[in-house]
Amino acid sequence: MDRRLVKFLLLGSGVVASMLFLLAVGVNRPGGMVYYQTVSEFFQDPSAREGTRRIAGKVVVGSIERLPTGQDVRFEMSDGLATLRVAYHGIVPDTFVDEADVVVEGALGADGTFRASTLLAKCPSKYEAATDRQARS
């Protein structure tokens, strides 16, 4: 066999083995195939108090409380079925407003407040689809 072919086969099989390993680890990890849970799914999950979770919902109107530090915010998020209190420390996105779609990543504290280490927000009014009449213009 040609040395070049042997090297190619060894390198190729190493890449395939690495990809299969990463896939197996990702699938077998709790929540590995789920990008996020809704608020109600989070509360229905018996392991909700364990480890880091990603949760999606909408910011409840009037619940945003910005603390004097400038990097601390407390708010409630809901999926229409359940509500979760969230505390976040970090840079707050400009799109973080009432009724914004949010995804938080963190863990549930002993007091029942979700301590978020990541906060992603999308302003619904900026990303809504154009109506048919506007699209035809």
Side-chain angles (χ1 to χ4, degrees):
M1 257 180 142
D2 184 20
R3 276 185 96 152
R4 195 179 288 172
L5 179 61
V6 171
K7 286 181 183 178
F8 177 76
L9 290 175
L10 286 174
L11 180 63
S13 61
V15 168
V16 169
S18 297
M19 290 172 56
L20 289 174
F21 172 75
L22 291 174
L23 179 66
V25 169
V27 170
N28 290 330
R29 187 176 66 100
M33 292 298 289
V34 178
Y35 180 68
Y36 58 78
Q37 297 175 304
T38 63
V39 177
S40 54
E41 289 171 342
F42 173 72
F43 283 119
Q44 292 170 0
D45 184 356
S47 63
R49 291 192 177 270
E50 300 169 13
T52 301
R53 296 279 192 257
R54 281 188 209 109
I55 305 171
K58 284 191 176 283
V59 177
V60 175
V61 175
S63 69
I64 298 173
E65 178 188 352
R66 296 179 188 270
L67 302 177
T69 62
Q71 287 194 329
D72 291 296
V73 65
R74 292 187 181 140
F75 63 97
E76 292 181 354
M77 63 186 288
S78 175
D79 63 358
L81 301 173
T83 302
L84 177 66
R85 288 178 298 160
V86 180
Y88 171 70
H89 174 79
I91 298 173
V92 179
D94 291 339
T95 54
F96 180 73
V97 294
D98 286 343
E99 294 187 324
D101 291 317
V102 293
V103 175
V104 293
E105 183 175 359
L108 190 63
D111 63 352
T113 300
F114 190 83
R115 307 284 178 203
S117 57
T118 303
L119 170 63
L120 305 171
K122 179 181 96 169
C123 180
S125 63
K126 288 186 180 180
Y127 301 103
E128 288 177 351
T131 62
D132 289 340
R133 192 180 77 213
Q134 289 174 331
R136 285 188 221 133
S137 300

